[in-house]
Amino acid sequence: MMETQYILTLSCPDRPGLVAAVSSFLANNGCNILESQQFNDVDGRRFFMRVKFEVLPSAPDIATLRTAFSGIGSAHQMDWQIREADTPRKVLLMVSKFDHCLEDLLYRVRVGELRMEVVAIISN
């Protein structure tokens, strides 16, 4: 049985220990990290992170995890969210000149290769 997967995204003022705080929280609450990316905006002094994780049977339910993570979020001034990994993202496509790129994206959405919901297309 596959465990439920979630994606945590966050941004906050950059400081040491953010990756450790997030990964320790997930590990200590029965979650397994599957993917993790981070980015530091040196000029803006902001930290951005995206973590895909699975909730193992020993973990609390997702509502409890969200409540518990809010303490870390507050302590580090984070803007964060946790969503189910298989929830399609709503996207706006912006197209210029060549229609083959748009056609390729729409085809990939239609066959399920790209998990997204195209809500609008803008072109010049």
Side-chain angles (χ1 to χ4, degrees):
M1 184 174 137
M2 192 169 117
E3 308 303 337
T4 305
Q5 297 179 358
Y6 294 91
I7 296 177
L8 164 66
T9 54
L10 63 91
S11 66
C12 61
D14 192 18
R15 68 176 78 162
L18 294 170
V19 173
V22 171
S23 59
S24 295
F25 172 83
L26 291 172
N28 292 335
N29 284 280
C31 299
N32 181 41
I33 294 175
L34 303 171
E35 298 173 16
S36 180
Q37 298 91 30
Q38 68 190 51
F39 172 75
N40 296 67
D41 177 2
V42 178
D43 295 333
R45 297 183 182 206
R46 299 280 300 168
F47 175 81
F48 300 88
M49 188 173 193
R50 178 188 183 275
V51 181
K52 183 176 183 181
F53 64 95
E54 62 185 349
V55 177
L56 302 176
S58 62
D61 63 66
I62 194 65
T64 303
L65 284 172
R66 283 187 178 110
T67 300
F69 190 80
S70 67
I72 291 175
S74 295
H76 296 284
Q77 300 171 305
M78 291 180 180
D79 294 321
W80 63 275
Q81 72 170 6
I82 297 175
R83 65 176 178 84
E84 287 193 35
D86 63 352
T87 303
R89 299 300 301 214
K90 293 185 178 190
V91 298
L92 165 81
L93 297 178
M94 298 174 68
V95 185
S96 179
K97 291 189 182 182
F98 303 110
D99 62 352
H100 69 278
C101 297
L102 173 62
E103 291 170 3
D104 182 58
L105 286 171
L106 293 175
Y107 171 76
R108 290 172 189 254
V109 170
R110 190 178 77 225
V111 299
E113 186 177 327
L114 293 175
R115 299 265 313 141
M116 62 185 184
E117 177 186 345
V118 179
V119 295
I121 300 170
I122 297 175
S123 175
N124 61 357

